[in-house]
Amino acid sequence: MNNIFTDNIKTIEFDALIIGGGGSGMRASLELAKSGLKTAVVSKVFPTRSHTVSAQGGITCAIASADPNDDWRWHMYDTVKGADFIGDQDAIEYLCSEGPKAVFELEHMGLPFSRFENGRIYQRPFGGQSKDFGKGGQASRTCAAADRTGHALLHTLYQNNVKEGTNFFNEWFAVDLVKNSKDEVTGVIAFSIENGEVAYLKAQATVLATGGAGRIYASTTNALINTGDGLAMALRAGFPAQDMEMWQFHPTGIYGAGSLVTEGCRGEGGYLINKDGERFMERYAPNVKDLAGRDVVARSMVLEILEGRGCGEKNDHIFLKLDHLGADVLNSKLPGICELSRTFAHVDPIYEPIPVVPTCHYMMGGTPTNINGQAYTRNNGQDELIPGLFSAGEAACVSVHGANRLGGNSLLDLVVFGRATGMHIQQELKSGGGVDSSTKSDINKSLERLNALNDSTSGNDPAEVKRELQECMQNYFGVFRRGEFMKKGLDQLSEIKEKVDNLHLKDKSNAFNTSRVEAIELQNLFEVAESTAVSAYIRNESRGAHARDDYPDRDDENWLCHTIFDPLTKEVSKRGVNFQPSKVEAFPPKVRTY
Amino acid sequence: MFGKKLHVSLYRYNPEEDKFPYMKKYIIEKPEKDIMVLDLLHLLKEEDQSVSYRRSCREGVCGSDGMNINGKNGLACITPISSVIKKNSIELRPLPGLPVIRDLVVDMTEFYAQYEKIKPFLQNETTAPEQERLQSPEERDKLDGLYECILCACCSTSCPSFWWNPDKFVGPAALLQAYRFLADSRDLKTEERLEALSDPFSVYRCHGIMNCVSVCPKGLNPNKAIGEIKSMLHKNKKDIIASDRI
């Protein structure tokens, strides 16, 4: 793989190219494959190994099954409030109103949802859900396939892509975007992990559907593959990222292992206790207790631990109590959790509580897009679409989750916006849209990083640098943040940057060389971590998942806005939040309590 | 477990450098606490960047890291080393029966081809209702133990019938999925699905050896599903003969 230039690699041409074979990527590809456009999915793992597979509790959507009077507007209200009012309301309206269509389509494709006695899809309560705009009590709005909803969804999407004959480049790794002189995106440079073949995959539309990047933290529920590859490619190409300070810490990651324990456990009636056996959420969220927003529950848990009421020898975790639900409920509704808990916590939830701790879970930020999945950049304080570039799912920031995502909304996000992106690309390309070609030197530019790594003869060990990066993010940009600490973190990041720029790839072989993949992933993680750190340091308030010790209050006067990180200047600017839904009145900001 | 050395014998093969595969010995400090086999591989990889294996979710749901651990197929990420160590040693090999790409990474093309062959998607060409198709909890219960498959290939690659005829015998993993759609009250292609499986190889090469059941990391039972398919095939054949007589 030495000295790769445009002249010695293949160009393979498509109408639409999707980077990432998870839920949003495969929902987009399904739409496009059905339309007859020449479509390909590039996935660094076989698609059913994507992280969507780990989603457990369900997909939140007002399909009016548990409650025939349920209304998407109530779901919209909950989502706006959950987002602490910096979610774009046009996008949230689209998410919640289109949601039922997207969920019924999944059912028609064969997704094995659990069922109620009347044969309709089973729905369970999740955190932050209400009826009648917060006035009618707890809602049950999360559609579930036991506690394996992500697995069922991802496999169903893959199966339907097989049915439609989608092209898959499985175990191919996308390295960098290719741009032409007009700054339009014309595809990616990618290589086959299996044999090292490098190719320019050229496309009229390139969709980043690469998911999250939870691996910037030392402790995360995310798969090892969640390294923010798409977002990092966009940043390196000079395109901005939005709301990168907003990272969700899930209240219940298994202590020590990080594996996720679904919020559905608390939806089914489980609750958190401290070392005294006290159900402490009654103090922090008297109305909905353990089903408050995830940010609220995670902070409450950290406070309990900091105040010495944590469980275990080191008083450093919390217990999730489920045994009172009984073996029948646990085996039928939460079988996967029982399995995970026995394997990773050595605890059987039928008899004992599960040790849990808030764990990095979800990236609310990402490449900014509109509701058609079109990515945009900023020009003189205005949004400007990037021709040829799209994004959907966790990699994108559309923004429906604002400062805090509600449980069950990520699966809905990826099917609704994967679908919308596919529909829009179809429309655009069929009406003659597209991009100009890139020149050889444009393409060579996107090969530089791969060549540099292949040419490295000395430098830093990627595994060591990765550990340093993850510890830095964990220490300085975790659940609670403070200016002076974040400053230290930023200083440390600039030292890490030098190391990341000088990695040594010892193994230069071509056949299934996972160390090459891991070195590129580390570079991607750094891009995401840097944008996170810079954005977090700037936002001088506490909102949603971004909790500052030194600015404990929400500040709507100055910070009712998105942050936009510019990778070229490393500076952050503000962008207004959309308060213009088309079918309902906007929900104005108010104090957020549960 | 303190202070003792752990002997790891790892299957190594890099097609660019090695004429033949070989077993490489690594001797490491035995970890203080019990770790998973996948964590053990991470330790080896830190020592030797060139060690290659697949991994993703690290919690037993993505199916990437199926391998042969001390002679038995399993997922590295949910197999504690304490459960497999014999005489302070552990032997790791790729899944048997499939071509090796490198080290623990096998070429799964044949495995996926069998999966695609059984048409692993719901077939129902009636007009879909505006809402979901209804399914009773009892009908839905029939999919339990089937849909949870993670395509790790531990079962098919432990099956002598699949080793022998990977191109003609569908294998336990894909047959489990074949039955998942046969058992789904919403699927309307039962006849066609059975017809496609009625040759002497697709299903009937299963001789009930049961390796699939003993290795499945998700506790599923492909053998039982294959038995159900065989019953359906027999019943179908009888029905056809009966209708011929009329």
Side-chain angles (χ1 to χ4, degrees):
Chain A
M1 225 197 228
N2 278 342
N3 296 323
I4 318 150
F5 295 106
T6 315
D7 288 332
N8 53 24
I9 62 170
K10 241 199 266 180
T11 298
I12 313 175
E13 209 170 330
F14 297 97
D15 296 318
L17 187 65
I18 290 147
I19 316 299
S24 65
M26 287 208 289
R27 186 62 191 83
S29 66
L30 187 59
E31 208 60 41
L32 288 161
K34 280 194 285 189
S35 75
L37 288 171
K38 198 177 172 199
T39 307
V41 176
V42 179
S43 178
K44 65 178 176 178
V45 293
F46 182 77
T48 63
R49 328 275 183 219
S50 306
H51 187 53
T52 305
V53 82
S54 293
Q56 299 171 351
I59 175 165
T60 302
C61 187
I63 61 161
S65 168
D67 170 8
N69 298 317
D70 201 11
D71 191 318
W72 67 262
R73 294 166 192 86
W74 300 349
H75 181 200
M76 177 175 174
Y77 166 83
D78 292 342
T79 304
V80 169
K81 177 185 169 188
D84 220 346
F85 301 95
I86 61 161
D88 287 330
Q89 297 201 14
D90 59 339
I92 298 175
E93 177 183 65
Y94 185 82
L95 176 82
C96 300
S97 61
E98 284 290 300
K101 227 183 281 174
V103 170
F104 292 139
E105 281 170 2
L106 289 171
E107 195 282 332
H108 298 154
M109 288 180 212
L111 200 157
F113 282 111
S114 302
R115 302 285 172 154
F116 283 121
E117 278 305 320
N118 65 4
R120 293 208 60 192
I121 293 172
Y122 173 75
Q123 292 186 296
R124 61 162 56 107
F126 249 53
Q129 287 177 2
S130 76
K131 298 181 183 186
D132 196 17
F133 309 104
K135 292 176 296 217
Q138 177 72 40
S140 296
R141 196 174 287 130
T142 300
C143 312
D147 56 359
R148 305 187 178 100
T149 316
H151 169 279
L153 186 151
L154 190 68
H155 280 251
T156 301
L157 284 176
Y158 179 67
Q159 292 163 352
N160 281 269
N161 273 283
V162 167
K163 183 180 174 188
E164 299 299 336
T166 305
N167 294 307
F168 282 101
F169 282 68
N170 291 335
E171 297 186 327
W172 275 66
F173 192 96
V175 182
D176 264 313
L177 293 173
V178 178
K179 288 193 305 182
N180 64 20
S181 55
K182 287 155 74 182
D183 255 3
E184 298 172 333
V185 173
T186 67
V188 299
I189 293 297
F191 68 88
S192 155
I193 299 173
E194 183 180 331
N195 61 24
E197 180 191 354
V198 182
Y200 167 37
L201 305 179
K202 183 180 170 186
Q204 299 298 319
T206 304
V207 184
L208 302 175
T210 48
R215 288 281 153 185
I216 64 170
Y217 288 96
S219 167
T220 174
T221 64
N222 284 193
L224 293 156
I225 58 171
N226 284 27
T227 51
D229 304 332
L231 176 56
M233 284 195 279
L235 286 166
R236 269 194 303 271
F239 301 130
Q242 177 169 272
D243 294 342
M244 287 309 296
E245 68 279 26
M246 298 303 178
W247 281 86
Q248 177 164 83
F249 287 79
H250 195 289
T252 54
I254 292 180
Y255 171 67
S259 306
L260 172 69
V261 177
T262 176
E263 187 168 304
C265 291
R266 285 170 284 138
E268 298 288 348
Y271 54 83
L272 298 164
I273 52 175
N274 61 20
K275 73 166 184 190
D276 305 321
E278 184 205 7
R279 186 176 181 183
F280 59 86
M281 280 312 297
E282 287 176 340
R283 277 188 276 119
Y284 297 94
N287 296 318
V288 297
K289 307 180 183 81
D290 297 81
L291 289 179
R294 286 180 177 170
D295 54 333
V296 176
V297 180
R299 275 194 294 278
S300 309
M301 291 168 72
V302 173
L303 286 174
E304 287 298 299
I305 293 168
L306 289 176
E307 288 166 13
R309 291 188 293 277
C311 306
E313 266 174 38
K314 296 184 192 157
N315 301 113
D316 60 352
H317 55 273
I318 295 292
F319 280 141
L320 172 63
K321 185 172 148 50
L322 296 173
D323 57 295
H324 58 286
L325 300 178
D328 285 350
V329 170
L330 291 175
N331 288 328
S332 65
K333 299 286 177 14
L334 301 165
I337 291 308
C338 294
E339 210 179 293
L340 277 174
S341 173
R342 287 174 200 129
T343 307
F344 289 103
H346 309 295
V347 154
D348 189 337
I350 294 171
Y351 308 106
E352 290 170 276
I354 310 175
V356 292
V357 72
T359 305
C360 168
H361 183 54
Y362 189 85
M363 176 175 86
M364 268 79 73
T367 299
T369 70
N370 62 18
I371 59 172
N372 298 318
Q374 296 170 282
Y376 57 78
T377 183
R378 298 281 286 173
N379 193 355
N380 288 327
Q382 297 295 318
D383 295 349
E384 186 178 280
L385 291 176
I386 305 164
L389 189 66
F390 300 79
S391 185
E394 191 171 343
C397 181
V398 50
S399 129
V400 289
H401 311 304
N404 170 62
R405 174 172 72 75
L406 290 187
N409 267 356
S410 61
L411 291 185
L412 189 65
D413 172 7
L414 59 83
V415 290
V416 166
F417 291 105
R419 177 176 175 269
T421 305
M423 292 192 302
H424 178 83
I425 291 173
Q426 211 181 119
Q427 208 185 352
E428 190 175 306
L429 296 188
K430 287 195 170 166
S431 59
V435 291
D436 291 350
S437 289
S438 288
T439 62
K440 276 184 193 176
S441 76
D442 295 332
I443 301 166
N444 282 338
K445 232 180 266 171
S446 302
L447 285 161
E448 279 170 12
R449 197 160 65 105
L450 198 53
N451 280 327
L453 209 50
N454 289 335
D455 292 342
S456 65
T457 51
S458 64
N460 302 294
D461 174 20
E464 263 171 46
V465 181
K466 182 160 85 182
R467 206 163 20 237
E468 222 177 296
L469 175 70
Q470 291 170 330
E471 273 165 23
C472 172
M473 294 307 290
Q474 191 79 29
N475 291 339
Y476 300 112
F477 302 93
V479 174
F480 284 103
R481 297 162 177 183
R482 184 182 296 177
E484 55 189 296
F485 289 146
M486 286 196 284
K487 184 79 190 52
K488 270 191 207 165
L490 280 164
D491 292 342
Q492 208 174 321
L493 278 178
S494 32
E495 287 165 30
I496 295 172
K497 161 101 178 123
E498 279 172 35
K499 295 181 188 170
V500 171
D501 286 343
N502 184 25
L503 293 179
H504 181 204
L505 178 67
K506 282 188 206 136
D507 180 0
K508 307 280 202 301
S509 62
N510 290 320
F512 225 98
N513 182 346
T514 52
S515 57
R516 177 181 286 121
V517 170
E518 286 180 23
I520 301 172
E521 286 175 337
L522 169 60
Q523 296 171 335
N524 292 340
L525 285 172
F526 183 82
E527 298 285 344
V528 177
E530 180 184 54
S531 61
T532 296
V534 173
S535 306
Y537 186 63
I538 292 280
R539 190 182 275 274
N540 288 335
E541 65 153 357
S542 290
R543 179 187 301 274
H546 179 66
R548 298 266 311 242
D549 283 348
D550 44 355
Y551 294 92
D553 299 319
R554 196 173 86 187
D555 175 3
D556 283 348
E557 205 172 306
N558 295 302
W559 291 102
L560 186 65
C561 63
H562 296 291
T563 55
I564 295 277
F565 171 78
D566 179 343
L568 302 174
T569 60
K570 315 279 182 210
E571 279 170 6
V572 173
S573 58
K574 296 179 179 181
R575 175 174 171 266
V577 174
N578 181 295
F579 281 96
Q580 289 166 321
S582 60
K583 298 174 192 150
V584 291
E585 291 277 302
F587 297 102
K590 60 175 191 179
V591 178
R592 180 168 167 256
T593 53
Y594 283 102
Chain B
M1 286 179 90
F2 291 87
K4 282 189 182 167
K5 301 281 184 193
L6 182 61
H7 297 251
V8 186
S9 176
L10 181 66
Y11 182 100
R12 300 298 316 261
Y13 175 65
N14 179 346
E16 291 159 73
E17 289 166 15
D18 307 321
K19 216 167 170 187
F20 300 104
Y22 61 99
M23 298 304 290
K24 185 167 177 181
K25 305 263 186 254
Y26 296 84
I27 298 173
I28 60 166
E29 284 293 322
K30 210 164 175 180
E32 281 185 27
K33 57 173 193 177
D34 199 8
I35 59 172
M36 298 295 174
V37 171
L38 182 63
D39 301 319
L40 178 66
L41 281 166
H42 292 336
L43 293 176
L44 296 186
K45 189 165 176 65
E46 277 184 24
E47 217 172 274
D48 178 354
Q49 270 193 19
S50 72
V51 173
S52 286
Y53 49 93
R54 293 187 175 104
R55 84 286 181 278
S56 173
C57 76
R58 61 81 176 90
E59 57 188 19
V61 295
C62 80
S64 296
D65 61 354
M67 58 187 66
N68 189 273
I69 305 164
N70 268 356
K72 189 175 173 185
N73 289 355
L75 293 181
C77 61
I78 54 170
T79 303
I81 57 171
S82 64
S83 70
V84 287
I85 289 178
K86 283 178 197 153
K87 293 183 184 160
N88 278 322
S89 61
I90 191 167
E91 190 175 275
L92 302 175
R93 291 170 173 272
L95 289 174
L98 294 175
V100 175
I101 295 172
R102 173 173 178 170
D103 298 344
L104 299 174
V105 179
V106 292
D107 179 351
M108 295 176 72
T109 310
E110 275 182 324
F111 175 79
Y112 295 136
Q114 292 297 350
Y115 176 65
E116 290 192 16
K117 200 155 94 184
I118 61 100
K119 301 202 169 158
F121 39 82
L122 193 84
Q123 298 183 73
N124 184 331
E125 280 147 20
T126 60
T127 310
E130 231 166 77
Q131 297 190 333
E132 70 269 47
R133 289 194 165 96
L134 299 180
Q135 186 173 48
S136 72
E138 293 71 33
E139 287 168 336
R140 169 60 183 76
D141 282 351
K142 292 188 178 149
L143 308 184
D144 283 340
L146 307 172
Y147 82 96
E148 301 94 324
C149 171
I150 57 174
L151 299 178
C152 65
C154 284
C155 62
S156 292
T157 61
S158 71
C159 173
S161 298
F162 189 76
W163 297 338
W164 200 245
N165 293 110
D167 53 338
K168 297 198 205 96
F169 174 50
V170 169
L175 286 171
L176 187 77
Q177 291 317 295
Y179 185 61
R180 177 246 174 277
F181 289 99
L182 285 167
D184 195 320
S185 60
R186 301 168 296 171
D187 191 277
L188 302 181
K189 295 282 185 191
T190 307
E191 292 296 317
E192 291 84 344
R193 288 183 186 280
L194 288 174
E195 177 55 36
L197 294 171
S198 61
D199 64 283
F201 282 92
S202 297
V203 179
Y204 290 108
R205 285 292 126 163
C206 168
H207 301 303
I209 297 165
M210 306 273 273
N211 280 358
C212 54
V213 184
S214 93
V215 300
C216 177
K218 305 307 284 183
L220 308 179
N221 189 334
N223 193 67
K224 183 159 173 269
I226 293 169
E228 301 284 356
I229 297 175
K230 285 180 178 170
S231 304
M232 288 177 91
L233 282 167
H234 296 166
K235 187 172 175 300
N236 207 35
K237 212 169 182 181
K238 270 192 231 156
D239 289 349
I240 291 168
I241 294 167
S243 67
D244 279 354
R245 282 184 188 149
I246 297 161

